[in-house]
Amino acid sequence: MSQNPPDQPPFASSQPGPHGSPYPPPAPKKNFFVRHKLLTGVGVLVLLIVVISTATGGGGTSEDSNTAGSAGTATATGSTPNGSAAAEPTSAAAPRPGIGAPARDGKFEFVVRGVRDGGTTIGPDFMAERAQGRFVLVDLTVRNIGNEAQSLDVSSQKVLSTKGTQFSPNTTATISVDDAAVFYEQINPGNALQLTIAYDLPTGVDPAEIELHDSLFSGGVTVALR
């Protein structure tokens, strides 16, 4: 009977056993997705978001975009969605009062009774006032609609030509025409004063408007004379 050498451990043989290698086979490597479950989950979520965003076209179809663009164009051109033109706001200024219509400024209500030609001279022959051009006479009624007396300043009543040129009264001619037109005539509440104011206008210039004031510094009201 043979025996193993004294220095060799028992059963140590380099020959494989009847069932293969004497060493256990290495453990199989796990799949990448199994080893990285967190990364895999994040990747799937991102991919799902991209797919949904692509499928919905970013929140609207091309038809919706075309419709929105058409609506924006219609709005920009001032048209309504049904193709009709949008109504633009109108800002028509209120018509100015004319001859015979009351016009108010401050404590006074003015009524222009008429406008007439005054010729080239006014007053008695020996002290007549001669016009540089020709005289235009404006007949007025002034009523005090306030609660206290107010003085009328005749020199504050201005006539304007069709080109907007402003003309002041001729004081001497005004007094010669109507001595009631005393400057700074005081009018009590409820009372009215009738007077005629004379203006010296260049030949060929016609009065278009008169700007009436209850005082020197009031805003004034404009009355059409034509």
Side-chain angles (χ1 to χ4, degrees):
M1 178 180 293
S2 62
Q3 295 181 351
N4 295 325
D7 295 333
Q8 183 174 358
F11 308 111
S13 174
S14 61
Q15 299 296 326
H19 300 289
S21 172
Y23 302 101
K29 294 183 178 180
K30 294 183 179 180
N31 186 282
F32 174 83
F33 296 105
V34 175
R35 288 181 294 149
H36 300 82
K37 292 181 179 180
L38 179 58
L39 294 178
T40 301
V42 173
V44 171
L45 180 60
V46 171
L47 180 61
L48 182 61
I49 293 174
V50 172
V51 171
I52 294 175
S53 176
T54 303
T56 58
T61 63
S62 59
E63 184 178 356
D64 295 336
S65 300
N66 293 336
T67 303
S70 300
T73 303
T75 302
T77 56
S79 300
T80 57
N82 60 8
S84 60
E88 296 183 359
T90 57
S91 56
R96 290 178 177 175
I99 295 176
R104 294 184 174 186
D105 179 63
K107 297 183 178 68
F108 285 157
E109 179 183 79
F110 300 90
V111 175
V112 178
R113 302 194 314 275
V115 180
R116 49 198 172 96
D117 184 21
T120 57
T121 60
I122 290 179
D125 292 339
F126 64 93
M127 54 180 305
E129 178 71 13
R130 184 172 298 276
Q132 297 173 352
R134 66 184 179 89
F135 289 115
V136 172
L137 308 179
V138 179
D139 300 318
L140 280 175
T141 297
V142 184
R143 183 181 303 278
N144 187 338
I145 57 174
N147 297 321
E148 58 185 6
Q150 177 80 1
S151 296
L152 174 66
D153 179 14
V154 173
S155 64
S156 295
Q157 320 312 319
K158 312 293 184 179
V159 160
L160 288 80
S161 70
T162 55
K163 295 183 179 180
T165 306
Q166 190 178 89
F167 300 93
S168 297
N170 182 298
T171 56
T172 304
T174 298
I175 295 175
S176 297
V177 170
D178 188 354
D179 58 5
V182 180
F183 295 94
Y184 295 102
E185 176 75 6
Q186 192 173 67
I187 305 174
N188 282 319
N191 286 345
L193 175 68
Q194 293 188 350
L195 69 155
T196 299
I197 305 177
Y199 297 88
D200 187 353
L201 302 184
T203 303
V205 175
D206 294 324
E209 300 172 331
I210 185 169
E211 190 177 285
L212 302 167
H213 298 263
D214 87 326
S215 66
L216 179 63
F217 302 106
S218 71
V221 60
T222 302
V223 176
L225 300 179
R226 305 180 67 178

